[in-house]
Amino acid sequence: MLQISMSLRMFFLGVFVLLIGCKKENTTTEVKVNPKEKNSNPIQKPLQLTLDQANTLADLPLACVQVEYPNKLNQTLGGKENLGEPKALHPAFYGCFDWHSSVHGHWSLVKLLKKFPKLDKREKALEKLNQNISKENIAIEVQYFEDKHNQSYERTYGWAWLLKLAEELHTWDDPAARVLEENLKPLTELIAQKYIEFLPRLNYPIRVGEHTNTAFGLSFAWDYANTVSDLKLKESIERKAREFYSNDKDCPIGWEPSGFDFLSPCFEEIDIMRRVLTKTEFEQWISDFMPQLKAKNFSIDVGEVSDRNDGKLVHLDGLNFSRAWVLNGLAKQYEGYEHLLYVANTHINYSLPNLINDAYEGGHWLGSFAIYALDVNTL
């Protein structure tokens, strides 16, 4: 009996040691050395959007902002009176498969027209913008958002892109922009007010890699508030960002990405905190939250897409672009992060070629992510 007892003791001791070993292995740092550069990432300049690329990328929103089907409405029906064709329900933003993709498709056209006055299809783009973003169409959009059954419609991903569109129009020095900005104004003001009312009621952040990610929504809304000097909205966003994220430490970047991510929970948090914190505050915060970013050999694998005809799996191309714009923004804002441009460029170069002749599953939205990642203002 003594021999059996000792054997069992040795067996359980072995299992315990094995489990401890596995736990240690799974919690090691996620910093990886780039095999092409053992000591540091080669310093690179941020990739820039060219006119040729702009002409190609403009074709993506032009091909979908007035395409009604297929369509994913994501609405709540209070009764049969809420039933309707997409264009009847959302006469401004009915194309590109869903409401938010239509909004950032319109943003893409505005951004490209603004950056490239000699865009090949300038007149066609302006025509579609004026047809869709009319006073009459926006009035119907406002009515939809005020419906008691759809108070939370597109919260906060679509809200964020609507404010990004409004910001882009506001900073575009062109007579056409003044008309479009004025037409969009009732919906812009409604969405800004929805943010102000909603944020105090949100007790916990949403840390996912898809639409409802809180940090992403706060970042774009903060940009709008900062640009148009909406101090009430800006203060509301800063207060909530500090409340949610100031004490966060050791973000588990090794858990990313999840299978359908197009946003990085860790990186999106960095994106909002670099905006709202002072330099001193941010340097202390990032040292606790993700210190490995300061390592000159920091690397992270790109998100690999196995099937670009699958609307969910193609999200990972979006992840590559959104990671890139966070890293580019950080490298531009603060010295000491220039080595991250290599990582950003690697992510962009993996996914950018895939937009050419892409399936509709990616083509209806990925162009916007690519444009934002390449935008000189972001970089």
Side-chain angles (χ1 to χ4, degrees), residues 134-147:
S134 67
K135 284 187 176 181
E136 296 77 14
N137 289 347
I138 296 302
I140 297 174
E141 295 280 0
V142 168
Q143 184 179 2
Y144 187 93
F145 274 88
E146 290 178 337
D147 175 72

Side-chain angles (χ1 to χ4, degrees), residues 51-262:
L51 177 57
D52 286 342
Q53 290 173 327
N55 285 324
T56 299
L57 290 171
D59 286 336
L60 296 174
L62 285 173
C64 75
V65 292
Q66 292 183 341
V67 174
E68 193 169 8
Y69 294 102
N71 201 295
K72 185 178 181 182
L73 285 173
N74 285 324
Q75 67 181 122
T76 300
L77 298 177
K80 62 182 180 180
E81 66 276 8
N82 298 131
L83 294 171
E85 300 290 331
K87 190 174 181 180
L89 296 169
H90 299 290
F93 305 116
Y94 62 88
C96 299
F97 187 68
D98 49 32
W99 193 88
H100 51 257
S101 297
S102 180
V103 171
H104 59 70
H106 287 76
W107 170 85
S108 295
L109 294 178
V110 172
K111 168 60 73 176
L112 295 175
L113 288 168
K114 177 180 170 183
K115 284 180 64 67
F116 300 99
K118 295 183 178 180
L119 196 71
D120 285 351
K121 297 181 180 178
R122 174 182 174 83
E123 296 306 316
K124 184 177 181 180
L126 285 171
E127 180 184 5
K128 289 182 181 290
L129 287 170
N130 284 313
Q131 287 173 350
N132 289 7
I133 307 177
S134 67
K135 284 187 176 181
E136 296 77 14
N137 289 347
I138 296 302
I140 297 174
E141 295 280 0
V142 168
Q143 184 179 2
Y144 187 93
F145 274 88
E146 290 178 337
D147 175 72
K148 66 178 181 179
H149 299 291
N150 288 284
Q151 294 291 308
S152 63
Y153 185 69
E154 288 289 347
R155 187 178 69 189
T156 58
Y157 183 76
W159 294 6
W161 274 109
L162 191 283
L163 294 185
K164 180 59 70 176
L165 171 59
E167 177 197 2
E168 210 63 59
L169 288 170
H170 185 76
T171 55
W172 183 20
D173 185 16
D174 189 282
R178 302 288 67 77
V179 174
L180 293 169
E181 182 182 21
E182 186 64 24
N183 291 348
L184 189 65
K185 187 175 180 180
L187 184 56
T188 303
E189 292 178 344
L190 177 62
I191 295 301
Q193 185 59 35
K194 279 183 172 290
Y195 260 109
I196 292 170
E197 294 172 356
F198 171 63
L199 289 179
R201 296 187 285 118
L202 184 64
N203 289 335
Y204 310 100
I206 302 168
R207 307 174 191 272
V208 297
E210 294 190 273
H211 305 84
T212 54
N213 182 280
T214 304
F216 170 82
L218 293 178
S219 295
F220 273 24
W222 192 95
D223 288 346
Y224 164 80
N226 188 54
T227 297
V228 304
S229 299
D230 186 336
L231 297 182
K232 188 175 182 180
L233 177 58
K234 186 177 177 181
E235 290 170 0
S236 179
I237 293 167
E238 179 176 344
R239 186 183 310 114
K240 188 55 67 170
R242 287 176 176 271
E243 174 190 330
F244 282 163
Y245 306 123
S246 288
N247 295 321
D248 285 0
K249 298 180 180 180
D250 300 320
C251 195
I253 190 67
W255 293 3
E256 299 182 21
S258 295
F260 299 155
D261 281 358
F262 60 85

